[in-house]
Amino acid sequence: MSEFAPDAGFRKNRKLKDALLRHKAFSKDGFSERLFGLLFSGLVYPQIWEDPDLDMQAMELKPNHRIVTIGSGGCNMLAYLSKAPASIDVVDLNPHHIALNRLKLAAFKHLPDHADLVRFLAMPNEKSNSRAFDRHLSAKLDETTRNYWNGRKFGRRRVTVFDRNIYETGLLGRFIGAAHLLARLHGVKLREMTKTRTIREQRQFFDEQIAPLFEKPVVRWITGRKSSLFGLGIPPQQYDELASLADDHSIAPVLKHRLEKLACHFPMSDNYFAWQAFGRRYGTEKEGPLPTYLKPEHYEVIRANVDRVNVHHASFTELLAREPAASRDRYILLDAQDWMTDTQLNDVWREITRTARDGARVIFRTAAEKSIIEGRLSPSIRDQWDYFEEKSRELTALDRSAIYGGFHIYGKKA
């Protein structure tokens, strides 16, 4: 495990600055990048917003596979452990995500049973969770991670967030909270969506209550600014990609379309992403599903394999550059390429191609619909990969998180 500096802000986080900054500080674009960087320097995703069930379909994981993935909220790498792969390397530029990933791994390994795990990671308003941390987890963590969760923020230990509701925190949690407040100011209670029992009821609630919000002047004004989507972890580059999808370059119709998919295309009883968006929690046993990694049928195999995961405070390119050729099988880039310059894109794919075994697969999401790498990769790299276009379109339609325009799968040629 590479060490990280949990309290280093954006100014000192060279890894994040190198990934994000493209323009001069006093330019309009440069200011926007730096504002996003400041916001992204804290905890962003308490829960990942990529559907790991689709990932596993696309990757067709086998026990011999060695995986490299971006960490984010950590739900994905834990879900992949349900397939018992040979190894998983988790990378992230955000030290708060590093601390969260390591804590989730420790919770699987050291909390007494599945009920304790679900209580700690999924249930709001459980005042005993910080005591469970002290009793079962604190001494088992590496020193840096232990100090992070024992550290204080606004006078309270960070770990006490699990006594309240971690999913209402982080940049994403606060963004969702702000969206709920804005809706209430217009007379709409988004939590009412969780009371629907059929797709038809979900559709009716969306059409009558949610869709009209996107025509409100204040909503159109807010969504017309790049900073409005920083709370979703969407940097300026991704905002431009999303805006390019609309004829008038307004982001409001795009957001309305994505939210319509989240609200109406999947039953609430089968979509924990919708529960977090509308209910700000997971459903109870009779209401909706837990994330894949918390389902009881996967508990024993994930717990048995947590030591196969290594968490690194590093970029994808940085980690792979240290690894031998033909040593990895599966690569998960989330939506990170939407941030990248052509140089950065070619750098990461050069290392992926060098370290990939024959038959390796790369999966990623994009804010827009089209694959971000087409026309940008060097032909010498691109020619070594097949694009599974039909399968990519099929899985895009099945993505329950609904916030991405495209899901893409590439395979290494033999």
Side-chain angles (χ1 to χ4, degrees):
M1 294 185 185
S2 56
E3 288 305 319
F4 64 100
D7 294 313
F10 178 61
R11 186 173 62 84
K12 295 181 179 180
N13 191 338
R14 172 55 57 185
K15 298 176 189 294
L16 182 57
K17 290 172 74 174
D18 288 345
L20 181 64
L21 299 184
R22 301 183 184 181
H23 299 91
K24 293 182 179 180
F26 294 104
S27 67
K28 182 179 179 180
D29 288 336
F31 176 78
S32 186
E33 289 169 352
R34 285 158 178 81
L35 175 59
F36 176 79
L38 288 170
L39 294 172
F40 202 83
S41 294
L43 178 66
V44 181
Y45 300 114
Q47 170 193 292
I48 201 166
W49 277 76
E50 287 83 6
D51 192 337
D53 289 359
L54 292 192
D55 294 358
M56 291 187 287
Q57 285 188 53
M59 290 190 288
E60 299 179 357
L61 290 179
K62 300 291 191 299
N64 64 307
H65 285 161
R66 302 186 68 194
I67 300 169
V68 184
T69 182
I70 295 173
S72 187
C75 317
N76 58 341
M77 61 92 177
L78 287 164
Y80 307 155
L81 278 182
S82 69
K83 302 297 184 181
S87 70
I88 303 178
D89 284 294
V90 176
V91 298
D92 207 290
L93 299 178
N94 187 319
H96 303 268
H97 291 161
I98 298 293
L100 182 59
N101 276 248
R102 292 181 180 175
L103 180 62
K104 286 183 174 181
L105 287 165
F108 260 94
K109 187 172 183 178
H110 300 296
L111 288 177
D113 56 33
H114 180 256
D116 292 302
L117 180 77
V118 171
R119 186 181 304 112
F120 189 82
L121 293 178
M123 297 294 105
N125 303 315
E126 291 287 347
K127 304 302 182 184
S128 64
N129 281 338
S130 59
R131 295 195 297 272
F133 171 86
D134 293 333
R135 182 176 181 181
H136 300 290
L137 303 180
S138 182
K140 308 293 185 177
L141 295 168
D142 63 274
E143 182 179 4
T144 307
T145 305
R146 180 169 59 251
N147 290 342
Y148 174 88
W149 290 108
N150 280 320
R152 294 188 176 273
K153 186 175 182 180
F154 305 123
R156 295 184 290 196
R157 286 196 304 160
R158 278 196 178 98
V159 73
T160 61
V161 71
F162 291 95
D163 293 342
R164 302 186 299 277
N165 186 350
I166 190 173
Y167 302 105
E168 292 184 352
T169 67
L171 190 60
L172 177 62
R174 291 192 294 273
F175 176 89
I176 294 174
H180 277 248
L181 175 60
L182 183 61
R184 284 201 304 274
L185 291 174
H186 289 89
V188 177
K189 297 180 180 179
L190 295 179
R191 291 182 189 269
E192 294 295 307
M193 177 64 85
T194 65
K195 297 179 181 179
T196 60
R197 293 294 176 262
T198 65
I199 289 283
R200 183 177 180 179
E201 290 180 5
Q202 291 168 219
R203 167 63 68 183
Q204 182 178 4
F205 185 84
F206 178 84
D207 289 343
E208 295 179 359
Q209 301 290 323
I210 298 176
L213 293 173
F214 289 92
E215 304 305 319
K216 303 296 183 182
V218 66
V219 174
R220 296 190 70 86
W221 182 86
I222 290 172
T223 56
R225 280 139 188 83
K226 291 183 180 181
S227 57
S228 66
L229 298 190
F230 287 177
L232 283 173
I234 293 177
Q237 300 93 322
Q238 272 189 310
Y239 182 98
D240 293 337
E241 289 288 333
L242 286 170
S244 70
L245 298 175
D247 293 336
D248 61 355
H249 293 280
S250 170
I251 204 74
V254 180
L255 293 179
K256 179 182 175 181
H257 174 72
R258 302 282 169 88
L259 191 59
E260 184 266 343
K261 181 180 179 183
L262 178 68
C264 305
H265 289 207
F266 311 95
M268 288 293 295
S269 60
D270 189 42
N271 192 356
Y272 63 87
F273 296 100
W275 270 96
Q276 283 294 351
F278 297 112
R280 309 203 70 194
R281 62 179 176 88
Y282 295 128
T284 62
E285 184 177 355
K286 295 181 180 180
E287 293 175 323
L290 288 170
T292 297
Y293 78 99
L294 288 175
K295 291 182 176 179
E297 60 264 34
H298 302 310
Y299 173 67
E300 292 295 344
V301 67
I302 294 175
R303 185 174 193 175
N305 288 293
V306 293
D307 289 335
R308 299 185 183 188
V309 179
N310 284 298
V311 182
H312 311 267
H313 187 208
S315 71
F316 228 89
T317 307
E318 184 181 1
L319 174 75
L320 293 180
R322 303 194 295 257
E323 300 301 317
S327 60
R328 297 295 189 276
D329 302 280
R330 298 293 186 265
Y331 303 81
I332 302 94
L333 287 160
L334 305 186
D335 62 341
Q337 293 173 112
D338 282 3
W339 301 31
M340 295 183 184
T341 64
D342 286 356
T343 298
Q344 292 167 334
L345 200 65
N346 278 274
D347 285 346
V348 70
W349 275 88
R350 186 175 298 108
E351 290 300 333
I352 288 173
T353 302
R354 184 185 65 83
T355 57
R357 295 170 176 160
D358 290 345
R361 290 191 182 182
V362 180
I363 63 172
F364 58 88
R365 268 90 170 169
T366 50
E369 296 174 4
K370 295 181 179 179
S371 170
I372 197 76
I373 70 170
E374 298 300 336
R376 296 179 63 188
L377 281 187
S378 163
S380 64
I381 298 174
R382 177 64 185 86
D383 290 347
Q384 298 185 57
W385 295 87
D386 289 318
Y387 180 35
F388 302 154
E389 187 170 3
E390 184 176 348
K391 187 67 172 178
S392 296
R393 282 198 302 268
E394 175 190 333
L395 293 184
T396 296
L398 298 176
D399 192 344
R400 292 172 296 176
S401 79
I403 65 172
Y404 294 104
F407 179 87
H408 306 282
I409 312 164
Y410 285 78
K412 179 77 179 297
K413 295 178 181 177

